[in-house]
């Protein structure tokens, strides 16, 4: 079949390898390609030249924890979930998010059995929006002492091991029914959960620990068993204590260095806490929005799962409480805040929303990078890290 147009990106400061470099990028068939073979060996000239005009060029942002946005809640809006996915996928592009994980909060088994067959991985495109990388199942195997904005009645334990997970989610480990699951967040101290972690990991499901009262030793054991991430660090976990710092103590471990999601809105985490985490383990930081249905909308009453919430200008609480219920920050704002809070370089801030989540998902060969063969999802940023242009599979999105 004939090749598609050959595209060349010039005059941009490309962010990769932890630094910015003035480089030329070449794209064909929605992928970054080797310019040496294309131009010098084949002597092919580009069909289209895009001038970045000195702007920063970054891989598209990746958000691995999105409960919903623009009025859509992935857990609650079950009847219109396909239309909801389309709406959110398109809306996220304006913030530079070109890939994401739809996230389901703790639910009853009937909800998972209805939704998981519909929440399928999907390629990103200008028409369909940001790529769906797989579902993040946040619960229900979490601690009732750290349930946060999850419905307490839905929480579960697994005294029968993996069979309880299979009964709850409606999948069969090792079958095609798990192929659309990216992450499962669990509390490792709950009955039967610790022993299930290696089975999930062996089946290709990544495990994150969170909504948990685990001690540091329990957290370390979970990492040793295969868990590779901490869900929204500092939130919904035992608070730091000098005698047993809980999951947070993983930051000081010489042996275990998991990735950690962090909500960088200045509300869920104090800027100094963000800086401490980055200083302790800079290569593990993953910026997540934990966005819920009110993201992108005016203040008012919304919901997360089956729980009503009230949104003010910049935060959301479970109705009638002071319990935070996800966030309304966007991923581009997280990047700007992260740089401001930590004093890190632009490249470090960008990689916390590009390379690191791709690594945590095991897809750094095709996402969060400009390497040859990777998907040509990328964004242009100004020096204030504001998103100016967005491209998915080499095509520009109309903003």
């Amino acid at each position: 079949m004939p090749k598609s147009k050959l595209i060349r990106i010039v005059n941009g400061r490309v962010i990769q390898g932890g630094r910015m470099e003035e480089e030329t990028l070449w794209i064909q068939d929605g992928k970054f390609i080797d310019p040496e073979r294309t131009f010098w060996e084949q002597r092919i000239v580009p069909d289209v030249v895009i001038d970045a005009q000195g702007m920063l060029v970054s891989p598209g942002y990746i958000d691995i924890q999105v409960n919903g946005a623009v009025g859509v809640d992935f857990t609650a809006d079950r009847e219109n979930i396909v239309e909801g996915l389309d709406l959110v996928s398109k809306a996220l592009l304006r913030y530079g998010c070109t890939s994401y994980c739809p996230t389901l909060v703790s639910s009853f088994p009937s909800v998972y059995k209805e939704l998981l067959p519909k929440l399928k991985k999907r390629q990103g495109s200008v028409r369909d929006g940001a790529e769906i990388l797989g579902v993040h199942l946040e619960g229900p195997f979490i601690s009732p002492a750290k349930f946060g904005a999850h419905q307490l009645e839905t929480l579960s334990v697994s005294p029968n091991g993996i069979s309880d997970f299979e009964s709850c989610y409606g999948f069969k480990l090792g079958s095609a029914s798990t192929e659309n699951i990216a992450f499962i967040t669990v509390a490792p101290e709950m009955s039967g959960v610790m022993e299930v972690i290696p089975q999930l990991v062996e089946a290709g499901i990544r495990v994150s620990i969170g909504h948990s009262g685990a001690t540091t030793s329990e957290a370390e054991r979970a990492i040793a068993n295969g868990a590779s991430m901490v869900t929204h660090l500092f939130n919904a976990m035992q608070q730091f204590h000098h005698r047993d710092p809980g999951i947070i103590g993983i930051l000081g471990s010489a042996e275990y260095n998991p990735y950690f999601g962090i909500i960088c809105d200045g509300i869920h985490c104090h800027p100094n806490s963000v800086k401490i985490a980055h200083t302790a383990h800079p290569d593990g930081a993953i910026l997540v929005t934990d966005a819920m249905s009110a993201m992108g909308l005016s203040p008012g009453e919304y919901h997360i799962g089956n729980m009503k919430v009230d949104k003010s200008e910049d935060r959301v609480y479970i109705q009638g409480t002071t319990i935070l219920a996800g966030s309304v920050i966007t991923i581009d704002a997280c990047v700007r805040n992260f740089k401001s809070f930590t004093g890190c370089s632009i490249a470090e801030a960008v990689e916390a929303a590009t390379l690191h989540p791709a690594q945590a998902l095991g897809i750094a060969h095709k996402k969060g990078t400009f390497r040859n063969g990777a998907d040509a999802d990328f964004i242009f940023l100004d020096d204030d890290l504001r998103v100016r242009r967005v491209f998915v599979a080499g095509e520009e999105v109309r903003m």
Side-chain angles (χ1 to χ4, degrees):
M1 294 183 64
K3 291 282 188 181
S4 62
K5 289 182 179 180
L6 182 63
I7 303 168
R8 185 185 182 196
I9 311 295
V10 299
N11 195 26
R13 290 171 289 161
V14 177
I15 300 172
Q16 62 178 340
R19 58 186 184 275
M20 292 185 292
E21 299 177 341
E22 292 188 9
E23 286 194 19
T24 296
L25 299 173
W26 293 73
I27 299 163
Q28 193 167 54
D29 296 324
K31 307 284 185 182
F32 293 112
I33 61 171
D34 183 354
E36 207 168 294
R37 292 186 60 186
T38 301
F39 183 74
W40 297 111
E41 293 181 14
Q42 301 178 36
R43 292 294 179 182
I44 300 174
V45 296
D47 299 292
V48 178
V49 176
I50 299 175
D51 188 350
Q53 298 181 325
M55 286 190 282
L56 302 166
V57 185
S58 164
Y61 293 146
I62 302 169
D63 192 346
I64 61 175
Q65 191 170 5
V66 181
N67 305 295
V70 292
V72 177
D73 181 280
F74 294 133
T75 306
D77 297 333
R78 298 191 289 278
E79 291 184 4
N80 301 305
I81 188 61
V82 175
E83 294 83 357
L85 281 169
D86 289 343
L87 185 62
V88 173
S89 297
K90 293 171 185 175
L92 292 179
L93 292 179
R94 73 184 69 143
Y95 308 110
C97 180
T98 57
S99 305
Y100 73 108
C101 292
T103 301
L104 300 181
V105 297
S106 296
S107 302
F108 293 110
S110 59
V111 174
Y112 296 116
K113 290 167 186 175
E114 179 181 355
L115 284 179
L116 287 179
K118 300 175 183 178
L119 294 172
K120 297 179 180 180
K121 293 181 180 179
R122 185 175 74 185
Q123 290 288 324
S125 69
V126 169
R127 183 191 66 188
D128 296 327
E131 181 159 341
I132 298 173
L133 298 170
V135 182
H136 184 160
L137 298 173
E138 189 183 358
F141 297 95
I142 59 174
S143 170
K146 301 292 180 183
F147 65 95
H150 293 234
Q151 189 176 353
L152 191 59
E153 295 79 10
T154 65
L155 304 192
S156 188
V157 291
S158 56
N160 301 306
I162 193 63
S163 64
D164 288 323
F165 276 70
E166 292 177 326
S167 296
C168 176
Y169 295 128
F171 63 52
K172 184 67 177 175
L173 212 62
S175 74
S177 59
T178 64
E179 65 184 13
N180 291 310
I181 299 172
F183 282 103
I184 296 181
T185 290
V186 300
E189 76 278 13
M190 300 308 294
S191 174
V193 170
M194 189 74 77
E195 291 69 32
V196 169
I197 292 174
Q199 294 174 269
L200 294 171
V201 173
E202 186 177 355
I205 298 172
R206 284 165 170 77
V207 175
S208 185
I209 56 175
H211 283 278
S212 165
T215 63
T216 297
S217 62
E218 287 171 330
E220 289 180 333
R221 184 181 167 202
I223 303 303
N225 277 7
S228 55
M229 196 176 83
V230 175
T231 297
H232 46 52
L233 183 71
F234 299 118
N235 289 274
M237 60 187 60
Q238 177 183 318
Q239 297 306 291
F240 184 90
H241 190 282
H242 59 284
R243 292 196 180 96
D244 190 332
I247 292 176
I248 298 169
I250 289 286
L251 290 175
S253 175
E255 186 174 358
Y256 303 109
N257 294 287
Y259 293 99
F260 58 89
I262 196 156
I263 307 169
C264 212
D265 60 358
I267 300 165
H268 283 77
C269 298
H270 190 280
N272 291 0
S273 298
V274 176
K275 186 171 184 178
I276 288 169
H278 173 257
T279 300
H281 185 24
D283 293 336
I286 295 177
L287 300 180
V288 298
T289 61
D290 197 21
M292 49 77 65
S293 61
M295 192 275 276
L297 300 179
S298 303
E301 181 183 293
Y302 298 92
H303 58 272
I304 183 166
N306 293 321
M307 306 180 79
K308 290 183 178 179
V309 302
D310 290 319
K311 176 188 182 291
S312 62
E313 286 296 332
D314 62 354
R315 65 195 70 194
V316 184
Y317 292 116
I318 295 176
Q319 204 165 74
T321 76
T322 57
I323 298 173
L324 289 168
S327 86
V328 289
I329 196 169
T330 58
I331 193 67
D332 59 322
C334 285
V335 173
R336 292 191 294 273
N337 285 347
F338 190 67
K339 181 179 181 298
S340 174
F341 294 171
T342 65
C344 71
S345 68
I346 286 176
E348 286 179 296
V350 164
E351 289 189 345
T354 56
L355 179 62
H356 296 177
Q359 290 171 331
L361 283 163
I363 57 172
H365 60 290
K366 65 176 183 177
K367 295 289 184 185
T369 180
F370 291 114
R371 67 165 57 184
N372 297 333
D375 295 339
D377 301 339
F378 61 100
I379 56 180
F380 289 174
L381 303 165
D382 63 22
D383 286 344
D384 294 323
L385 298 179
R386 301 279 176 181
V387 177
R388 296 305 180 192
R389 298 174 74 177
V390 178
F391 298 79
V392 181
E395 290 189 69
E396 186 164 9
V397 177
R398 291 189 178 183
M399 302 288 281

